[in-house]
Amino acid sequence: MILVLIGYMASGKSTLGRILGNKLNYDFIDLDDYIEEKEALSVSDIFKSKGEIYFRKKETFYLKKLLENKTNLILSLGGGTPCYSNNMDLLRNVSNVKSIYLKASIPTLVERLKNEKSTRPLIAHIETDELLAEFIGKHLFERSQFYNLSEITITTDNKKEGDIIEELVLKLF
């Protein structure tokens, strides 16, 4: 089985993916890290030098490659991945894939992201928590139609990592 973690940045995809991978003895791959390794450039450098269209094409290419060649995998997608190139349809049509939406509220995401802006190019320019909340709200409104197509939804607000993993395992098995 391939478990695909979907959600907005800072929803817990990478952190929970690693923990879940250890618990289930599955490999863990963060799609953005995988792309960076294969392209020998950071995601932000790919955006700067080759543009978003190039990045989105590569994102779909590597997603397909991972879905074809892997089993017993936890795959964490970038926050935008489900929203482009029919990637959600792709996930829904692969028989051994379970998509999991890690859902976090706007206040939770603001709290998690406000001190990470320098490492997140998408929000690096946002100066106040209020503007960050507005930005996240707009993005979530646009992206939630894709995120909500996931087979499983887990809310991550005000929960310990262990409790989220336990809830997820119960829903999976």
Side-chain angles (χ1 to χ4, degrees), residues 6 32 46 58 72-73 89 92-93 96-97 99 132 172:
I6 293 166
D32 284 347
I46 294 169
K58 285 298 183 177
N72 297 339
L73 173 67
D89 289 339
R92 292 165 53 106
N93 291 312
N96 67 332
V97 168
S99 55
L132 182 58
L172 284 168

Side-chain angles (χ1 to χ4, degrees), residues 10-155:
S11 62
K13 299 180 304 283
S14 295
T15 300
L16 295 169
R18 285 184 184 89
I19 295 168
L20 187 60
N22 287 334
K23 183 173 184 69
L24 299 177
N25 200 25
Y26 278 29
D27 291 331
F28 171 76
I29 296 176
D30 179 295
L31 183 60
D32 284 347
D33 292 346
Y34 187 82
I35 294 168
E36 289 179 343
E37 179 185 315
K38 296 296 182 187
E39 296 291 307
L41 286 170
S42 70
V43 169
S44 55
D45 285 341
I46 294 169
F47 266 78
K48 284 179 201 164
S49 65
K50 299 184 179 187
E52 183 176 4
I53 292 170
Y54 175 89
F55 174 78
R56 296 298 175 192
K57 285 180 180 176
K58 285 298 183 177
E59 182 178 56
T60 299
F61 171 80
Y62 290 121
L63 175 61
K64 286 178 181 176
K65 189 172 182 171
L66 287 168
L67 295 177
E68 289 169 3
N69 299 319
K70 293 281 187 180
T71 57
N72 297 339
L73 173 67
I74 311 285
L75 179 59
S76 169
L77 301 186
T81 308
C83 311
Y84 295 92
S85 306
N86 296 314
N87 288 333
M88 275 310 290
D89 289 339
L90 173 67
L91 295 173
R92 292 165 53 106
N93 291 312
V94 177
S95 61
N96 67 332
V97 168
K98 288 265 189 227
S99 55
I100 301 155
Y101 173 23
L102 298 177
K103 185 176 185 176
S105 68
I106 294 169
T108 296
L109 293 170
V110 168
E111 193 58 36
R112 291 177 185 171
L113 287 168
K114 67 182 181 181
N115 296 318
E116 291 184 19
K117 288 191 281 190
S118 63
T119 62
R120 309 269 190 174
L122 196 60
I123 59 169
H125 67 285
I126 300 174
E127 294 179 9
T128 67
D129 291 357
E130 292 77 21
L131 290 173
L132 182 58
E134 185 179 310
F135 180 87
I136 292 168
K138 179 182 173 290
H139 255 175
L140 281 178
F141 177 76
E142 294 166 351
R143 294 177 174 189
S144 63
Q145 65 179 317
F146 299 99
Y147 294 168
N148 287 325
L149 294 172
S150 299
E151 293 172 71
I152 297 171
T153 298
I154 303 281
T155 302

